């Protein structure tokens, strides 16, 4: 069982930057693809960014391209989502998800393990 814990969220102003972290313990995280998703109340969970198990491939939803960056530090079993130039519409609960030996997939069903999510609120 892979347990994922998100951290780094909070309340920020439009234009600010935030770095989310997705960490695990007890597993070799370098073998897992990791995706970030977000969800607003009453809406479906949507793909944000993903990185494959090797770190050689990444993917982003169009709305965050050029503003968000996903990276991984396998020595520390952590994947980061650097979010710059935040907008109020980026306000959501952000979830990280993982799948062994996976690709940088955008489908929710591509990931078996999920964190509990963390709130990011961007004020005007």
């Amino acid at each position: 069982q892979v347990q994922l814990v998100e951290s780094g969220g909070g309340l920020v102003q439009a234009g600010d930057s935030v770095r989310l972290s997705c960490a695990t313990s007890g597993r070799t995280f370098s073998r897992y693809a990791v995706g970030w998703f977000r969800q607003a109340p009453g809406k479906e969970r949507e793909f944000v960014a993903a990185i494959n198990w090797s770190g050689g491939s990444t993917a982003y939803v169009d709305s965050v391209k050029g503003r968000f960056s996903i990276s991984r530090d396998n020595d520390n079993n952590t994947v980061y989502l650097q979010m710059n130039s935040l907008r109020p519409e980026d306000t959501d609960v952000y979830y990280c998800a993982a799948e062994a030996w996976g690709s940088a997939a955008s489908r929710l069903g591509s990931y078996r393990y999920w964190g509990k999510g963390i709130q990011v609120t961007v004020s005007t």
Side-chain angles (χ1 to χ4, degrees), residues 3 5 12 23-24 56 63 69-70 78 81 85 103 113 118-119 122:
Q3 292 185 327
V5 178
V12 298
T24 188
S63 62
S69 177
I70 189 170
T78 303
L81 182 67
S85 302
S103 62
Y113 305 104
I118 191 165
Q119 178 71 44
V122 184

Side-chain angles (χ1 to χ4, degrees), residues 5 23 26 46 49 68 77 86 121 124:
V5 178
E46 66 174 10
F68 291 10
N77 280 343
L86 283 163
T121 302
T124 56

Side-chain angles (χ1 to χ4, degrees), residues 31-34 51-54 72 98-105 110-111:
R31 301 174 183 174
Y32 290 80
V34 174
I51 188 166
N52 75 331
W53 67 272
S54 71
R72 65 189 310 150
E99 179 60 39
W101 305 114
S103 62
S110 298
Y111 299 90

Side-chain angles (χ1 to χ4, degrees), residues 37-120:
F37 294 78
R38 62 188 180 185
Q39 187 172 21
K43 294 188 177 181
E44 294 185 353
R45 193 169 297 185
E46 66 174 10
F47 170 73
V48 177
I51 188 166
N52 75 331
W53 67 272
S54 71
S57 178
T58 59
Y60 300 90
V61 67
D62 285 346
S63 62
V64 307
K65 285 181 180 177
R67 299 189 298 125
F68 291 10
S69 177
I70 189 170
S71 62
R72 65 189 310 150
D73 179 353
N74 289 334
D75 290 339
N76 291 301
N77 280 343
T78 303
V79 170
Y80 301 102
L81 182 67
Q82 178 67 43
M83 305 190 295
N84 300 327
S85 302
L86 283 163
R87 305 167 180 170
E89 54 263 39
D90 294 317
T91 295
D92 273 319
V93 176
Y94 284 74
Y95 299 86
C96 70
E99 179 60 39
W101 305 114
S103 62
S106 61
R107 290 177 59 249
L108 275 72
S110 298
Y111 299 90
R112 183 176 312 179
Y113 305 104
W114 289 83
K116 294 182 179 180
I118 191 165
Q119 178 71 44
V120 175

